[in-house]
Amino acid sequence: MLFSETHSKFCAIVLFCVVLCGFPGFAGADLIPVLGGQRVGISGLQFLKVGVGARAVALGGAYAAVADDASALHWNPAGITQSASPLVYGSYTDWPVELSHRFAGAVYPMGVNFFGVSVTQLTCPETEVTTEMQPDGTGEMWRYGDLAAAVTFARAMTDRFSFGLTVRLIEETLDLVQIRAVTFDLGTFYRTGWGSSRFAVVLANFGGDSAPSGSYELDDGSTLDDFQAFSPPTEFRLGLATEFLDRPGQRVTGSLQLNHPNDNAENLGVGVEYLWSERFFLRGGMRLNSDAESYALGGGVLLPVPGGGAHIDYAYSSMGYLGSAHRISMELEFR
């Protein structure tokens, strides 16, 4: 039994190293080619890319194979099958350039079936309109905001394999015009049997092209009401996670995630989480081959509350020339 457990952990570590060393930029290897860099800027609805939850972001976004809380509604819909109790979740992000990102979700298990609902919002303060002739402002105000509402269904097919589906309704407001769209997330979650290692595949934000509706009056008096359509920011995620240490009072979880977006180059998320005394968490992660996001740090605590537990997490993420972002999230678990 001891040999089997040691062998499983060794296999998981070797697999982690193979994937990491195969990523471009490491040891000159080119097992995973750098594609997609020439497609930057070809998709819309960019707020769907903003990571949800302090825990996930502190792990470098390498969360598809870890997601066992209600933030799985964003990262991998199949992940909600890992919870046997109802969950209520909320997350707030202080995003650069005065943007605020909010996420709320709930998960309810019914045997092998799991149901979830979630709402995502990105807002900024109203801003005064400026023109070439009036650079100090016209006195008029314009606003921008995004809103998405989603429903999720997941099913545990066996004790190892689960799948999930999310349908998301989206509305983006750009002053006088609006974009409405529907996107889908498809996710799978699989326990390999090698120790605690698990594997996840996700297709996120899949849907048809959408164009703004509405009109603008131009300076020459003409009206602009024909706009170009753009695809949503579809992303293919391939995740792997395992525990390198798991004993009473201590646990170390490692995770990897390869991301293939339709509008940028591939990137890799790497994260490590340390649990002490079944209550306190420390986390760190990196996003490799990403122009904006780089490293992230965070922590959390599990507090007992009547009838369940409360998870409170914080994350700081460095975003290069964009500055930094701060996230706080809380989850209530009803046991």
Side-chain angles (χ1 to χ4, degrees):
M1 179 65 68
L2 179 60
F3 173 79
S4 177
E5 181 179 355
T6 303
H7 179 261
S8 297
K9 291 183 178 180
F10 175 76
C11 290
I13 293 172
V14 169
L15 185 57
F16 261 61
C17 293
V18 168
V19 174
L20 188 60
C21 291
F23 192 75
F26 284 86
D30 195 25
L31 296 180
I32 304 175
V34 179
L35 304 172
Q38 72 277 12
R39 299 195 302 269
V40 173
I42 66 169
S43 68
L45 305 173
Q46 292 292 296
F47 80 104
L48 296 174
K49 290 177 159 185
V50 179
V52 165
R55 183 188 181 200
V57 172
L59 293 176
Y63 206 60
V66 177
D68 56 3
D69 56 21
S71 71
L73 295 167
H74 171 85
W75 296 97
N76 181 2
I80 64 175
T81 61
Q82 297 189 75
S83 175
S85 305
L87 306 172
V88 175
Y89 187 91
S91 174
Y92 173 80
T93 303
D94 181 18
W95 201 243
V97 297
E98 300 186 40
L99 291 169
S100 297
H101 184 272
R102 301 173 180 87
F103 175 88
V107 173
Y108 189 78
M110 296 182 65
V112 297
N113 298 318
F114 296 75
F115 300 89
V117 294
S118 60
V119 176
T120 308
Q121 183 185 45
L122 182 71
T123 60
C124 71
E126 285 192 343
T127 306
E128 189 172 6
V129 175
T130 60
T131 67
E132 293 181 356
M133 302 302 295
Q134 296 174 289
D136 295 327
T138 65
E140 299 178 348
M141 306 297 288
W142 70 272
R143 65 188 183 93
Y144 162 82
D146 294 294
L147 182 65
V151 293
T152 298
F153 170 77
R155 182 180 177 89
M157 302 298 292
T158 68
D159 58 349
R160 289 192 180 185
F161 177 75
S162 304
F163 78 91
L165 168 68
T166 293
V167 181
R168 185 177 293 107
L169 304 178
I170 302 166
E171 180 177 274
E172 182 170 81
T173 300
L174 301 166
D175 195 18
L176 300 179
V177 300
Q178 290 183 327
I179 300 174
R180 292 185 175 89
V182 178
T183 63
F184 302 88
D185 294 353
L186 298 171
T188 61
F189 181 87
Y190 179 68
R191 294 190 179 276
T192 66
W194 291 357
S196 63
S197 62
R198 52 266 193 206
F199 182 75
V201 178
V202 180
L203 180 63
N205 305 320
F206 175 77
D209 294 355
S210 58
S213 61
S215 62
Y216 271 105
E217 183 176 340
L218 304 180
D219 293 339
D220 60 5
S222 62
T223 299
L224 177 64
D225 58 6
D226 185 17
F227 302 95
Q228 183 177 354
F230 290 91
S231 64
T234 305
E235 183 174 71
F236 177 78
R237 302 167 182 159
L238 187 64
L240 176 68
T242 192
E243 272 67 48
F244 296 116
L245 173 68
D246 192 359
R247 63 190 185 192
Q250 292 189 85
R251 186 176 72 226
V252 176
T253 302
S255 61
L256 284 174
Q257 183 172 306
L258 174 65
N259 303 300
H260 177 86
N262 69 338
D263 61 354
N264 212 321
E266 290 72 16
N267 61 83
L268 183 73
V270 184
V272 177
E273 177 183 73
Y274 173 67
L275 167 65
W276 177 70
S277 190
E278 304 297 330
R279 181 172 295 184
F280 303 101
F281 298 84
L282 289 175
R283 306 181 182 102
M286 296 185 67
R287 184 69 69 91
L288 308 173
N289 202 43
S290 174
D291 293 333
E293 299 176 84
S294 54
Y295 69 89
L297 300 169
V301 61
L302 171 59
L303 301 175
V305 298
H311 299 255
I312 302 175
D313 298 295
Y314 166 81
Y316 166 89
S317 54
S318 174
M319 302 186 65
Y321 53 84
L322 293 177
S324 61
H326 302 269
R327 285 175 175 82
I328 186 168
S329 57
M330 183 173 73
E331 179 180 73
L332 296 177
E333 180 179 5
F334 302 94
R335 299 167 186 161

PDB file of all heavy atoms in Angstrom, residues 4 10 52 66 74 79 87 98 143 196 254 259 266 301 326 330:
ATOM      1  N   SER A   4       2.320   1.715  -3.389  1.00  0.00           N
ATOM      2  CA  SER A   4       1.323   2.209  -4.337  1.00  0.00           C
ATOM      3  C   SER A   4       1.106   3.706  -4.184  1.00  0.00           C
ATOM      4  O   SER A   4       1.024   4.439  -5.167  1.00  0.00           O
ATOM      5  CB  SER A   4       0.000   1.468  -4.118  1.00  0.00           C
ATOM      6  OG  SER A   4      -0.986   1.978  -4.985  1.00  0.00           O
ATOM      7  N   PHE A  10       4.657   9.921  -7.264  1.00  0.00           N
ATOM      8  CA  PHE A  10       5.789  10.081  -8.173  1.00  0.00           C
ATOM      9  C   PHE A  10       5.309  10.278  -9.605  1.00  0.00           C
ATOM     10  O   PHE A  10       5.801  11.143 -10.329  1.00  0.00           O
ATOM     11  CB  PHE A  10       6.693   8.850  -8.077  1.00  0.00           C
ATOM     12  CG  PHE A  10       7.830   8.862  -9.074  1.00  0.00           C
ATOM     13  CD1 PHE A  10       8.936   9.680  -8.869  1.00  0.00           C
ATOM     14  CD2 PHE A  10       7.786   8.080 -10.218  1.00  0.00           C
ATOM     15  CE1 PHE A  10       9.973   9.691  -9.783  1.00  0.00           C
ATOM     16  CE2 PHE A  10       8.813   8.092 -11.129  1.00  0.00           C
ATOM     17  CZ  PHE A  10       9.914   8.903 -10.911  1.00  0.00           C
ATOM     18  N   VAL A  52     -12.646  34.744 -11.647  1.00  0.00           N
ATOM     19  CA  VAL A  52     -13.581  34.844 -10.529  1.00  0.00           C
ATOM     20  C   VAL A  52     -13.003  34.154  -9.302  1.00  0.00           C
ATOM     21  O   VAL A  52     -12.506  33.032  -9.393  1.00  0.00           O
ATOM     22  CB  VAL A  52     -14.934  34.198 -10.907  1.00  0.00           C
ATOM     23  CG1 VAL A  52     -15.789  33.964  -9.673  1.00  0.00           C
ATOM     24  CG2 VAL A  52     -15.662  35.060 -11.918  1.00  0.00           C
ATOM     25  N   VAL A  66      -9.165  21.922  -9.999  1.00  0.00           N
ATOM     26  CA  VAL A  66      -9.246  22.083  -8.548  1.00  0.00           C
ATOM     27  C   VAL A  66     -10.668  22.417  -8.132  1.00  0.00           C
ATOM     28  O   VAL A  66     -11.142  21.980  -7.086  1.00  0.00           O
ATOM     29  CB  VAL A  66      -8.295  23.195  -8.061  1.00  0.00           C
ATOM     30  CG1 VAL A  66      -8.437  23.419  -6.551  1.00  0.00           C
ATOM     31  CG2 VAL A  66      -6.847  22.862  -8.407  1.00  0.00           C
ATOM     32  N   HIS A  74     -17.846  29.395 -12.802  1.00  0.00           N
ATOM     33  CA  HIS A  74     -17.090  30.169 -13.802  1.00  0.00           C
ATOM     34  C   HIS A  74     -15.992  29.328 -14.448  1.00  0.00           C
ATOM     35  O   HIS A  74     -15.787  29.409 -15.661  1.00  0.00           O
ATOM     36  CB  HIS A  74     -16.478  31.397 -13.144  1.00  0.00           C
ATOM     37  CG  HIS A  74     -15.512  32.140 -14.020  1.00  0.00           C
ATOM     38  ND1 HIS A  74     -15.910  33.086 -14.943  1.00  0.00           N
ATOM     39  CD2 HIS A  74     -14.147  32.060 -14.143  1.00  0.00           C
ATOM     40  CE1 HIS A  74     -14.850  33.575 -15.572  1.00  0.00           C
ATOM     41  NE2 HIS A  74     -13.774  32.963 -15.111  1.00  0.00           N
ATOM     42  N   GLY A  79     -17.140  20.985 -12.000  1.00  0.00           N
ATOM     43  CA  GLY A  79     -16.539  21.022 -10.675  1.00  0.00           C
ATOM     44  C   GLY A  79     -17.542  21.112  -9.543  1.00  0.00           C
ATOM     45  O   GLY A  79     -17.224  20.758  -8.406  1.00  0.00           O
ATOM     46  N   LEU A  87     -24.225  25.564  -1.517  1.00  0.00           N
ATOM     47  CA  LEU A  87     -23.212  26.605  -1.407  1.00  0.00           C
ATOM     48  C   LEU A  87     -23.778  27.936  -1.887  1.00  0.00           C
ATOM     49  O   LEU A  87     -24.551  27.989  -2.839  1.00  0.00           O
ATOM     50  CB  LEU A  87     -21.986  26.266  -2.260  1.00  0.00           C
ATOM     51  CG  LEU A  87     -21.306  24.910  -2.056  1.00  0.00           C
ATOM     52  CD1 LEU A  87     -20.233  24.697  -3.123  1.00  0.00           C
ATOM     53  CD2 LEU A  87     -20.699  24.822  -0.663  1.00  0.00           C
ATOM     54  N   GLU A  98     -10.450  51.838 -12.384  1.00  0.00           N
ATOM     55  CA  GLU A  98     -11.707  52.115 -11.684  1.00  0.00           C
ATOM     56  C   GLU A  98     -12.847  51.181 -12.058  1.00  0.00           C
ATOM     57  O   GLU A  98     -14.022  51.503 -11.871  1.00  0.00           O
ATOM     58  CB  GLU A  98     -12.144  53.569 -11.901  1.00  0.00           C
ATOM     59  CG  GLU A  98     -11.146  54.587 -11.408  1.00  0.00           C
ATOM     60  CD  GLU A  98     -11.693  56.006 -11.504  1.00  0.00           C
ATOM     61  OE1 GLU A  98     -12.884  56.218 -11.205  1.00  0.00           O
ATOM     62  OE2 GLU A  98     -10.930  56.898 -11.888  1.00  0.00           O
ATOM     63  N   ARG A 143     -21.878  55.886 -20.084  1.00  0.00           N
ATOM     64  CA  ARG A 143     -21.637  54.781 -19.144  1.00  0.00           C
ATOM     65  C   ARG A 143     -21.342  53.491 -19.896  1.00  0.00           C
ATOM     66  O   ARG A 143     -21.705  53.323 -21.066  1.00  0.00           O
ATOM     67  CB  ARG A 143     -22.837  54.579 -18.229  1.00  0.00           C
ATOM     68  CG  ARG A 143     -24.107  54.126 -18.921  1.00  0.00           C
ATOM     69  CD  ARG A 143     -25.288  54.133 -17.971  1.00  0.00           C
ATOM     70  NE  ARG A 143     -26.507  53.639 -18.607  1.00  0.00           N
ATOM     71  CZ  ARG A 143     -26.908  52.382 -18.564  1.00  0.00           C
ATOM     72  NH1 ARG A 143     -26.171  51.477 -17.912  1.00  0.00           N
ATOM     73  NH2 ARG A 143     -28.016  51.995 -19.158  1.00  0.00           N
ATOM     74  N   SER A 196      -4.503  11.276  -5.599  1.00  0.00           N
ATOM     75  CA  SER A 196      -5.623  12.231  -5.634  1.00  0.00           C
ATOM     76  C   SER A 196      -5.646  13.030  -6.932  1.00  0.00           C
ATOM     77  O   SER A 196      -6.397  14.009  -7.034  1.00  0.00           O
ATOM     78  CB  SER A 196      -5.498  13.206  -4.452  1.00  0.00           C
ATOM     79  OG  SER A 196      -4.302  13.961  -4.562  1.00  0.00           O
ATOM     80  N   GLY A 254      -1.003  21.017  -5.822  1.00  0.00           N
ATOM     81  CA  GLY A 254      -0.406  21.668  -6.981  1.00  0.00           C
ATOM     82  C   GLY A 254      -1.337  21.571  -8.168  1.00  0.00           C
ATOM     83  O   GLY A 254      -2.072  20.582  -8.316  1.00  0.00           O
ATOM     84  N   ASN A 259      -4.182  27.060 -21.183  1.00  0.00           N
ATOM     85  CA  ASN A 259      -5.300  27.824 -21.726  1.00  0.00           C
ATOM     86  C   ASN A 259      -5.044  28.141 -23.203  1.00  0.00           C
ATOM     87  O   ASN A 259      -3.986  28.652 -23.555  1.00  0.00           O
ATOM     88  CB  ASN A 259      -5.469  29.133 -20.955  1.00  0.00           C
ATOM     89  CG  ASN A 259      -5.668  28.899 -19.473  1.00  0.00           C
ATOM     90  OD1 ASN A 259      -6.607  28.241 -19.049  1.00  0.00           O
ATOM     91  ND2 ASN A 259      -4.755  29.440 -18.663  1.00  0.00           N
ATOM     92  N   GLU A 266      -1.405  30.947 -26.506  1.00  0.00           N
ATOM     93  CA  GLU A 266      -1.602  30.027 -25.407  1.00  0.00           C
ATOM     94  C   GLU A 266      -0.838  30.511 -24.182  1.00  0.00           C
ATOM     95  O   GLU A 266       0.217  31.142 -24.286  1.00  0.00           O
ATOM     96  CB  GLU A 266      -1.116  28.627 -25.780  1.00  0.00           C
ATOM     97  CG  GLU A 266      -1.966  27.916 -26.803  1.00  0.00           C
ATOM     98  CD  GLU A 266      -1.832  28.489 -28.204  1.00  0.00           C
ATOM     99  OE1 GLU A 266      -0.863  29.228 -28.448  1.00  0.00           O
ATOM    100  OE2 GLU A 266      -2.693  28.199 -29.050  1.00  0.00           O
ATOM    101  N   VAL A 301      -9.148  31.575   5.097  1.00  0.00           N
ATOM    102  CA  VAL A 301      -9.441  30.946   6.375  1.00  0.00           C
ATOM    103  C   VAL A 301     -10.820  30.306   6.291  1.00  0.00           C
ATOM    104  O   VAL A 301     -11.716  30.808   5.594  1.00  0.00           O
ATOM    105  CB  VAL A 301      -9.392  31.977   7.527  1.00  0.00           C
ATOM    106  CG1 VAL A 301     -10.429  33.084   7.325  1.00  0.00           C
ATOM    107  CG2 VAL A 301      -9.585  31.300   8.878  1.00  0.00           C
ATOM    108  N   HIS A 326      -7.029  43.479  -6.678  1.00  0.00           N
ATOM    109  CA  HIS A 326      -7.297  42.883  -5.376  1.00  0.00           C
ATOM    110  C   HIS A 326      -8.657  42.201  -5.415  1.00  0.00           C
ATOM    111  O   HIS A 326      -9.627  42.757  -5.934  1.00  0.00           O
ATOM    112  CB  HIS A 326      -7.290  43.951  -4.276  1.00  0.00           C
ATOM    113  CG  HIS A 326      -6.007  44.708  -4.184  1.00  0.00           C
ATOM    114  ND1 HIS A 326      -4.974  44.314  -3.360  1.00  0.00           N
ATOM    115  CD2 HIS A 326      -5.580  45.830  -4.826  1.00  0.00           C
ATOM    116  CE1 HIS A 326      -3.965  45.168  -3.489  1.00  0.00           C
ATOM    117  NE2 HIS A 326      -4.305  46.093  -4.372  1.00  0.00           N
ATOM    118  N   MET A 330     -16.122  35.180  -0.523  1.00  0.00           N
ATOM    119  CA  MET A 330     -16.622  34.441   0.629  1.00  0.00           C
ATOM    120  C   MET A 330     -17.631  33.404   0.159  1.00  0.00           C
ATOM    121  O   MET A 330     -18.442  33.672  -0.732  1.00  0.00           O
ATOM    122  CB  MET A 330     -17.279  35.362   1.651  1.00  0.00           C
ATOM    123  CG  MET A 330     -17.739  34.626   2.910  1.00  0.00           C
ATOM    124  SD  MET A 330     -18.348  35.723   4.223  1.00  0.00           S
ATOM    125  CE  MET A 330     -19.917  36.202   3.528  1.00  0.00           C
TER     126      MET A 330
END
